[in-house]
Amino acid sequence: MTDHELIEGLITNDRTAIHTLVDKYQKKIIKTAYYFLQNMEDAEDLSQDIFIDIIDSSQRFRKASTLSTWIYRITVNKSLNLIKKNKRNKIFHSLEDFFTPKPDNNDPTHREPTVTTSPFEENERREILNKAIQSLPENQKIAFILSKYEELSYKEIAEIMNISLSSVESLLHRAKLNLQKRLATHFSEYIKK
Amino acid sequence: MDCSFIKKNLFAILENTLSADDRSETELHLKSCSECNHLLSGFLETMSVIDTDKSKEINPFMSTRIIQRIDSVVSSHVDKKQKEFLRLLQPIVFTFTLFLAVLIGFSLGKTGMNSISGKKSDVQGLQSLRSELFISDITDEDKTLFLNP
């Protein structure tokens, strides 16, 4: 089934077209969402919304870009929106925690979570990298994830982000500089300790 | 070469894009500087998380969940459309019925008027006939009066 036939099928809610869409793009959508969100459950939940969005807006698909580029664009936008929403919720919860009384530390049933001291635990490395990536400006973050995780070409990234090739190059260069600066600071501080 | 070169070229070392001279100098520096060694190994290990993430497999039952969700949303869309259609249809049917009722009322009224006007002409005919009869009655009466004293 070609992209054109797929889109035509999606417009009419054709079941074969919907199944083809899910089979063809679910891995790509879930993985891209995961690279942005760094949480598989969130990525899986979001992927359902993304598919519904694709079907709902299939009439608005302009044939100027490929279906894959269009799907990437929706996935990236939805993922970034969820990150923003989660951030807002986090702020709200931290405010809520601030105003609610803290549990009594003398309580024998209360246990502090154990913190691993090794800097090279995979989860900790993931957290360090994720923090560094999330601290990047939005455009640099998108360019970096699409390039390093998705291994897309500069041309594909330019199409998804709707920018020129030179802008992609510049964004990636700045993203790498920022990342290595943040990671170097993190590891230097650790070495000094 | 100093440590700042390593700090500024971590990605170049990772991606192997340093020039041959810089590469050999970097190797020399790393042999003598434990701080840069730690920094580079920490960076490389952290960046290796990307490869681990790339090889991560997705839930094999995910497609079933996605299809189910799509089906429920599509069917609810259809229901919504039907409800919307009925919601729009209701005033249209009401207006049409009202219009039809008015039309029927008018046509019935027109037929009624015609029949009344028809009846009127009948009455007039009868009246003229009766008046004629009455006149002849009178004349007849007069004649009888005249003939029979």
Side-chain angles (χ1 to χ4, degrees):
Chain A
M1 194 181 265
T2 63
D3 282 359
H4 179 73
E5 286 167 341
L6 194 57
I7 284 292
E8 292 297 319
L10 292 178
I11 292 169
T12 54
N13 285 335
D14 174 47
R15 281 195 68 80
T16 320
I18 291 171
H19 278 264
T20 311
L21 177 83
V22 173
D23 288 343
K24 204 173 170 183
Y25 291 102
Q26 65 158 329
K27 199 173 174 185
K28 199 179 267 187
I29 288 173
I30 294 171
K31 284 207 151 193
T32 309
Y34 171 70
Y35 298 147
F36 278 92
L37 302 167
Q38 286 297 311
N39 182 313
M40 195 46 104
E41 278 179 24
D42 283 353
E44 285 175 352
D45 288 343
L46 186 70
S47 71
Q48 299 176 34
D49 293 339
I50 292 168
F51 275 110
I52 288 160
D53 211 28
I54 291 167
I55 295 165
D56 280 348
S57 53
S58 50
Q59 276 177 322
R60 277 178 274 144
F61 171 68
R62 276 180 253 138
K63 275 120 199 167
S65 62
T66 62
L67 183 62
S68 167
T69 305
W70 185 61
I71 288 173
Y72 263 123
R73 220 174 275 163
I74 293 175
T75 309
V76 169
N77 286 337
K78 284 249 171 198
S79 303
L80 292 174
N81 285 344
L82 188 64
I83 290 171
K84 281 177 196 162
K85 197 179 162 191
N86 287 347
K87 258 186 196 170
R88 276 199 300 270
N89 286 346
K90 225 177 183 178
I91 293 167
F92 178 73
H93 284 301
S94 62
L95 278 172
E96 208 174 49
D97 288 347
F98 181 77
F99 288 110
T100 48
K102 289 175 178 65
D104 185 11
N105 284 355
N106 295 328
D107 180 4
T109 55
H110 175 78
R111 294 273 184 278
E112 281 294 327
T114 47
V115 180
T116 49
T117 47
S118 165
F120 302 120
E121 288 287 329
E122 197 188 279
N123 282 345
E124 197 172 351
R125 283 193 313 235
R126 175 169 286 112
E127 203 177 309
I128 294 164
L129 182 64
N130 188 32
K131 263 188 187 170
I133 292 173
Q134 294 304 334
S135 68
L136 291 174
E138 202 165 89
N139 274 356
Q140 289 180 27
K141 195 195 312 181
I142 299 169
F144 183 81
I145 289 174
L146 292 179
S147 165
K148 286 287 161 192
Y149 283 87
E150 287 290 336
E151 295 177 351
L152 297 182
S153 68
Y154 284 11
K155 193 176 169 252
E156 285 169 309
I157 298 171
E159 278 173 14
I160 292 165
M161 295 181 74
N162 214 6
I163 52 175
S164 65
L165 275 176
S166 56
S167 301
V168 175
E169 275 176 348
S170 151
L171 280 175
L172 273 173
H173 179 68
R174 277 185 281 148
K176 283 176 189 174
L177 283 181
N178 282 331
L179 271 183
Q180 69 185 11
K181 200 174 165 184
R182 282 175 174 102
L183 292 174
T185 312
H186 178 87
F187 288 118
S188 300
E189 278 170 9
Y190 177 77
I191 292 161
K192 276 175 197 165
K193 279 179 196 170
Chain B
M1 179 178 283
D2 60 356
C3 298
S4 64
F5 180 85
I6 305 289
K7 277 184 185 174
K8 285 176 186 166
N9 289 285
L10 289 168
F11 266 104
I13 297 168
L14 171 75
E15 291 166 350
N16 209 11
T17 52
L18 285 178
S19 66
D21 289 346
D22 283 341
R23 202 182 310 146
S24 58
E25 276 193 53
T26 305
E27 278 166 13
L28 268 175
H29 178 80
L30 287 171
K31 275 177 188 166
S32 59
C33 182
S34 64
E35 200 174 307
C36 284
N37 246 314
H38 277 108
L39 172 69
L40 184 64
S41 63
F43 176 77
L44 295 179
E45 282 188 26
T46 304
M47 293 309 289
S48 72
V49 169
I50 294 177
D51 293 323
T52 318
D53 279 353
K54 275 196 272 192
S55 59
K56 212 165 192 166
E57 284 301 314
I58 61 160
N59 180 355
F61 304 108
M62 206 47 220
S63 60
T64 320
R65 268 176 65 189
I66 294 169
I67 294 284
Q68 275 178 346
R69 174 82 193 279
I70 293 170
D71 281 345
S72 71
V73 171
V74 167
S75 63
S76 77
H77 276 195
V78 171
D79 283 351
K80 221 182 225 179
K81 274 181 186 172
Q82 279 176 347
K83 275 181 187 168
E84 189 108 323
F85 177 70
L86 284 173
R87 199 176 61 82
L88 284 171
L89 196 70
Q90 234 173 354
I92 294 169
V93 168
F94 179 75
T95 317
F96 180 73
T97 317
L98 196 73
F99 179 73
L100 202 71
V102 170
L103 208 73
I104 291 167
F106 265 113
S107 64
L108 280 176
K110 213 174 176 183
T111 331
M113 288 294 280
N114 282 341
S115 64
I116 287 166
S117 60
K119 274 176 188 172
K120 263 184 185 172
S121 60
D122 287 351
V123 170
Q124 279 169 351
L126 273 170
Q127 275 175 346
S128 63
L129 191 71
R130 190 175 284 171
S131 63
E132 270 173 34
L133 283 170
F134 179 70
I135 291 163
S136 61
D137 275 358
I138 292 169
T139 46
D140 285 350
E141 201 176 318
D142 286 345
K143 277 176 191 170
T144 18
L145 280 171
F146 180 74
L147 290 169
N148 300 310

